[in-house]
Amino acid sequence: FFKKKTAYELQRGLVGSEMCIRDSINAEYMGQQFKLMELTEESKEVPLNPLESERLTKVFNFLVRQDIAEKNKELEEELAKIESKYKVEEDIKKDEKGGKKGDRQKKKEKEKAKLKEKIEKITEGDLMKVLEFLDPKIKPKITEVRDMIWEVDEDMDKCVDFSELKKMYQRCSRDKEWLEPRKLFNLIQFLMFLSDETKTDITSEDTLQLLYIRHQSDRKALDDSVKAIFGEGKGKDEKGDEIHLDYNQYLERVNRMALENYKKIKGQKEQTVKGSKSFKGTSTICLLYTSDAADDTPCVDLGGRRFSKKK
């Protein structure tokens, strides 16, 4: 008769009614991924170059001023609501019940301070205004703007402070896997390229300083980036004139570049996995199983069911 097999003798697929689908993963490949994750974490702490820091700060200050009138109007309305919430008559009644008026005063001031901080953050209104400025012909969609903020909004206040913006820039500019969300990054990068706040287009000369800092000694990567954005002429058209790109043209080209690089890296990873010995079955690991039947391997049959072990 056929020899009975335990669940762990099966390499892939379903292993029975009491077991889940087992994912056999290449151990060597997983080790490489964990190493990449560690490098990614380390890269978040790398300080910005002085030029990057200067331009990022300049762009942040430019953005927070875009919708300042609406921010001040909302602030006045919200401050009035807080005052009515903590009016003197209510405080007296609460004091009669044993509450502490001093604590409520501190709480009121804290709420006011939190509202005032919003003026120094990038809001949906700020991004809508700057997108309208970059291309008056196309009205930006509020859903796209919300997506931009959502990508980097770590404290979930529907705004972006400078700390969140800086962390986003560090992650995206040093992301070699092209996996980081880049909607807000692409806008910030375009604004950093602009030599003047009144301009709405960029040239290859505008991009060279920042791109050189990013790629440092990797001349090929620098040339590839300029080529991907401005084409074969590296910033010049067929007549030899300088190419000027508006925001939408820039966005189309960098999105295409990101997709091509992602596919290229993904293909390289797949080739690495297929070429490794462990993928062929010599060394695999199981990430997950749900049944304690698997722990008693001598008493599990081919279907993952327990059977009585004869003594």
Side-chain angles (χ1 to χ4, degrees):
F1 294 97
F2 295 107
K3 177 186 175 183
K4 291 184 177 180
K5 294 183 178 182
T6 66
Y8 278 101
E9 290 173 6
L10 298 176
Q11 289 295 322
R12 305 177 186 282
L14 291 171
V15 294
S17 57
E18 294 186 2
M19 305 289 287
C20 72
I21 298 176
R22 295 177 57 196
D23 296 322
S24 293
I25 304 296
N26 178 293
E28 180 183 349
Y29 175 66
M30 286 298 294
Q32 294 172 355
Q33 295 309 300
F34 287 127
K35 186 175 181 181
L36 285 172
M37 288 169 64
E38 291 174 0
L39 290 173
T40 302
E41 289 296 322
E42 291 174 2
S43 70
K44 294 178 185 178
E45 304 302 325
V46 176
L48 294 178
N49 177 278
L51 178 63
E52 288 181 305
S53 182
E54 178 190 341
R55 293 201 183 182
L56 188 64
T57 303
K58 184 179 178 181
V59 167
F60 178 79
N61 293 333
F62 170 71
L63 284 172
V64 297
R65 297 197 310 268
Q66 294 304 303
D67 201 30
I68 192 66
E70 187 64 27
K71 285 181 182 178
N72 286 328
K73 181 180 178 182
E74 290 180 3
L75 178 62
E76 291 177 3
E77 293 174 355
E78 293 298 325
L79 289 176
K81 289 180 182 178
I82 290 177
E83 287 295 339
S84 62
K85 179 181 175 182
Y86 290 93
K87 59 185 178 179
V88 178
E89 292 82 3
E90 291 181 359
D91 284 349
I92 294 173
K93 291 179 181 179
K94 290 175 183 176
D95 285 345
E96 292 174 351
K97 297 178 182 178
K100 293 183 179 180
K101 187 174 181 180
D103 292 342
R104 286 193 296 280
Q105 184 67 24
K106 290 179 181 179
K107 188 176 180 181
K108 181 175 73 171
E109 295 302 323
K110 187 176 180 180
E111 288 187 24
K112 285 185 175 181
K114 189 175 181 180
L115 282 173
K116 292 176 181 178
E117 286 177 2
K118 191 175 181 180
I119 293 182
E120 299 302 321
K121 295 183 179 182
I122 300 171
T123 62
E124 293 175 2
D126 292 322
L127 294 179
M128 290 286 285
K129 293 281 187 183
V130 77
L131 289 172
E132 289 172 358
F133 165 72
L134 292 175
D135 192 348
K137 298 178 183 178
I138 301 177
K139 184 174 178 60
K141 297 180 180 178
I142 188 64
T143 53
E144 294 179 358
V145 169
R146 286 172 180 167
D147 284 344
M148 286 183 180
I149 293 176
W150 179 83
E151 287 179 351
V152 300
D153 187 14
E154 295 182 1
D155 56 8
M156 302 300 290
D157 63 351
K158 298 182 180 179
C159 303
V160 180
D161 59 29
F162 185 74
S163 175
E164 292 170 333
L165 188 73
K166 183 178 178 181
K167 289 178 182 178
M168 176 275 297
Y169 183 83
Q170 288 175 310
R171 289 196 301 267
C172 291
S173 61
R174 290 160 176 77
D175 175 27
K176 305 300 183 183
E177 303 293 305
W178 295 86
L179 296 175
E180 288 287 343
R182 292 171 175 265
K183 289 183 179 179
L184 183 59
F185 172 77
N186 288 334
L187 173 61
I188 298 300
Q189 184 71 99
F190 183 82
L191 294 174
M192 289 174 71
F193 285 149
L194 291 174
S195 56
D196 190 334
E197 289 182 358
T198 60
K199 288 183 61 179
T200 57
D201 57 51
I202 60 172
T203 65
S204 62
E205 291 296 323
D206 296 327
T207 66
L208 285 178
Q209 272 188 305
L210 284 176
L211 290 178
Y212 179 79
I213 289 171
R214 182 173 305 163
H215 299 295
Q216 296 181 358
S217 59
D218 192 346
R219 178 71 188 192
K220 184 178 184 303
L222 172 62
D223 290 341
D224 289 344
S225 295
V226 175
K227 179 181 175 182
I229 298 173
F230 292 97
E232 295 289 344
K234 297 182 180 181
K236 304 287 184 180
D237 60 18
E238 295 177 353
K239 297 180 180 179
D241 297 328
E242 201 164 30
I243 296 175
H244 292 256
L245 297 180
D246 61 28
Y247 175 65
N248 288 311
Q249 291 172 323
Y250 168 79
L251 195 61
E252 179 184 351
R253 299 188 184 201
V254 293
N255 283 337
R256 183 170 63 243
M257 176 178 66
L259 182 60
E260 289 173 355
N261 285 330
Y262 170 75
K263 288 181 177 180
K264 180 180 178 181
I265 293 172
K266 184 180 179 182
Q268 291 173 348
K269 286 184 178 180
E270 289 174 351
Q271 289 298 322
T272 301
V273 172
K274 289 179 181 179
S276 65
K277 293 181 180 179
S278 56
F279 183 80
K280 299 175 183 177
T282 59
S283 174
T284 57
I285 58 175
C286 176
L287 290 183
L288 175 68
Y289 65 91
T290 58
S291 173
D292 59 352
D295 294 329
D296 193 9
T297 54
C299 299
V300 182
D301 69 4
L302 182 60
R305 295 177 291 274
R306 295 183 182 86
F307 64 88
S308 298
K309 182 170 63 175
K310 294 180 181 180
K311 296 183 180 180

